[in-house]
Amino acid sequence: MTSSTAAADPGGDRTRDAERTREELLTVATRVFAEEGYAGARVDEIAARTSTTKRMIYYYFGGKEGLYLAVLERAYTRVRSLEAQLDVDGLDPAEAIRRLAELTFDHHETHQDFVRLVSIENIHHAEHLRRSPILPGLAAPALDVLTRILERGRADGVFRDDVDALDVHMVISSFCIFREANRHTFAAIFDRDLLDPAHRPRLRRLLGDMVVAHLTARPGGE
């Protein structure tokens, strides 16, 4: 090993350690904020549940608000990344939109902390998320794939041409978020657990059916 290589290794190790520490803090903080809300979460508790210290939280994130914003940004970035990676160009438009709806369904089911964080941030009128420097980039991935699918469907004469991509995104997200966010009240009123695995295939198919049916319906019932 050359002296230059040896000299570079410690720096590389420190970088990797810093990345691991930051990732651990974000993972634990995600859980704590989702469980306790922004107001209820405590930096001391987050530090105690990690292998680091409160001082390191302030070092990496500047404090509780900075940590919370980083948690939100990571959560949104991850789902937007999944949407952007979805390869739908080889599918017919109806199957492509169904695949996108199912991806959202699967993500929200397996990332229930994301749904809770969205609910918490809405309680705060998105005041933290609005301060995010990456906010402008959070919308494009969600709509780019969807817009491409809708444009192909219109060009093929399969989809109606009076549908807004953001409306379709809202419908898909609403269904998936409702299933988690309203799980307990829905069960209390109707005695049905929306996350019961027995209902999963039907609800997943229902979401795709509703979106495809709306996009392929003729305007005004024609």
Side-chain angles (χ1 to χ4, degrees):
M1 180 184 296
T2 65
S3 59
S4 60
T5 302
D9 282 345
D13 289 343
R14 284 194 295 271
T15 298
R16 286 189 292 273
D17 287 343
E19 291 172 350
R20 281 194 293 268
T21 298
R22 192 175 189 279
E23 187 65 19
E24 181 190 14
L25 284 168
L26 287 171
T27 297
V28 172
T30 295
R31 196 171 306 120
V32 173
F33 282 123
E35 292 170 354
E36 307 293 340
Y38 178 75
R42 297 288 179 266
V43 173
D44 287 334
E45 179 186 357
I46 295 170
R49 291 169 64 170
T50 67
S51 57
T52 185
T53 63
K54 180 178 177 179
R55 182 178 65 83
M56 293 304 292
I57 293 176
Y58 281 86
Y59 174 78
Y60 284 114
F61 303 103
K64 177 180 174 179
E65 184 174 3
L67 176 60
Y68 175 68
L69 180 56
V71 164
L72 286 175
E73 290 175 339
R74 187 178 75 152
Y76 274 100
T77 298
R78 284 183 166 181
V79 67
R80 298 290 89 95
S81 176
L82 286 175
E83 292 163 347
Q85 292 172 24
L86 186 62
D87 184 10
V88 296
D89 292 328
L91 302 173
D92 70 76
E95 181 60 28
I97 200 71
R98 185 182 294 275
R99 189 75 58 85
L100 180 61
E102 290 172 348
L103 179 144
T104 307
F105 185 97
D106 295 342
H107 172 273
H108 287 29
E109 179 180 71
T110 56
H111 295 78
Q112 294 171 27
D113 284 347
F114 172 77
V115 176
R116 296 188 188 107
L117 288 169
V118 171
S119 300
I120 290 164
E121 185 58 5
N122 272 287
I123 290 172
H124 293 278
H125 306 287
E127 65 177 87
H128 305 96
L129 191 60
R130 291 181 194 278
R131 298 172 190 158
S132 169
I134 72 169
L135 179 61
L138 293 177
L143 296 181
D144 286 350
V145 174
L146 184 52
T147 298
R148 290 205 322 268
I149 297 171
L150 294 180
E151 288 176 347
R152 285 200 295 117
R154 291 168 187 146
D156 291 349
V158 177
F159 289 166
R160 55 197 292 178
D161 59 7
D162 63 339
V163 176
D164 179 70
L166 189 55
D167 288 346
V168 179
H169 173 72
M170 177 184 66
V171 169
I172 294 172
S173 295
S174 298
F175 187 98
C176 298
I177 287 179
F178 183 97
R179 185 167 168 252
E180 163 61 28
N182 296 70
R183 174 189 185 183
H184 299 293
T185 52
F186 199 87
I189 296 170
F190 299 107
D191 193 27
R192 175 174 293 181
D193 182 358
L194 293 174
L195 292 183
D196 185 331
H199 302 305
R200 184 180 192 277
R202 187 186 72 260
L203 294 176
R204 192 171 186 262
R205 185 173 59 252
L206 173 61
L207 173 60
D209 288 347
M210 287 193 304
V211 176
V212 171
H214 176 64
L215 292 176
T216 55
R218 296 300 95 189
E222 297 176 6

